[in-house]
Amino acid sequence: MTVPEHLSYEEAATLPCVAVTAWNALTGDGACLGTGHTVVVQGSGGVSLFALQFAKALGARVIATTSRPAKAARLRALGADEVVDYSATPDWAAEVRTLTGGRGADRIVDVAGLLHESIRAIALAGTIACVGFVGNASLPLDTGALFASGATVRTVAVGSRAQFTAMNAFIGTHGLRPVIDRVFPFDEAVDAYRHYAAGGPFGKVVVSHSHAPSGVGIPA
Ligand SMILES: NC(=O)c1ccc[n+]([C@@H]2O[C@H](COP(=O)([O-])OP(=O)(O)OC[C@H]3O[C@@H](n4cnc5c(N)ncnc54)[C@H](OP(=O)(O)O)[C@@H]3O)[C@@H](O)[C@H]2O)c1
């Protein structure tokens, strides 16, 4: 297993979990996602930022959501075509419909556990990739709405070795770089967790052995 040549070890360390999860969410069903399709990514967490980068590189239009206006510009800079503030606009699903001319999104990478809302935002025969539950919502599923949507709901569990290899090749071909919020040296690992827990990072928080004060670490 090789690291994409243009990446540092700190960048490569972000790939084995959230990146391949995002890759699986977009490509794991074998559908040809790309030009003419709209993808929704929820929030600006690790999975969503990778999903945004991959979806754009595949040629899709991306609608990102965030609760933080300051992150909206950064999401746009990363390639998001539209950004919906889900704090100011709690009915983000209706906004997605408006932004797609009533059609809905072809794919939703649901990291927030908002299936009841994603069903309202999905296009006929679209796919909702169920990835996580950061939204802490537990509204009951409207099975009638699910049936009427014609959507496929697909759960995603990280990804296979084959998916990881394919993703790394894609990253190499497109020269993609993981978004890193901050790198902490190993002896400040606790501060790294505090920084992440504070909820403000845009991108991955990395603990680097190569910054270890002993000088014993992975060469850059
Ligand atoms: N299935 C799998 O194999 C797999 C693999 C990896 C992770 N996961 C799961 O996927 C989820 C995301 O992981 P992650 O590492 O990307 O998380 P993360 O980096 O901790 O994501 C945090 C972000 O989630 C966003 N968020 C919180 N509540 C939200 C809501 N109600 N609607 C939309 N966005 C919301 C916020 O974005 P803003 O600040 O922009 O609002 C927040 O900054 C977690 O539940 C994780 O456990 C699953």
Side-chain angles (χ1 to χ4, degrees), residues 64-120:
T65 71
T66 184
S67 61
R68 299 172 193 240
K71 289 183 175 177
R74 301 185 71 177
L75 287 163
R76 285 186 200 281
L78 202 56
D81 299 280
E82 311 282 351
V83 180
V84 178
D85 181 333
Y86 65 84
S87 282
T89 310
D91 195 354
W92 60 269
E95 189 63 15
V96 166
R97 287 230 167 253
T98 301
L99 290 169
T100 53
R103 185 172 176 276
D106 300 284
R107 179 142 327 203
I108 299 177
V109 181
D110 192 327
V111 299
L114 301 174
L115 194 50
H116 54 289
E117 292 177 40
S118 292
I119 287 168
R120 294 177 45 239

Side-chain angles (χ1 to χ4, degrees), residues 21 43-47 66-68 71 86 131-133 135 156-158 196:
T21 301
S44 56
V47 174
T66 184
S67 61
R68 299 172 193 240
K71 289 183 175 177
Y86 65 84
V131 172
F133 302 93
V156 170
V158 198
Y196 169 75

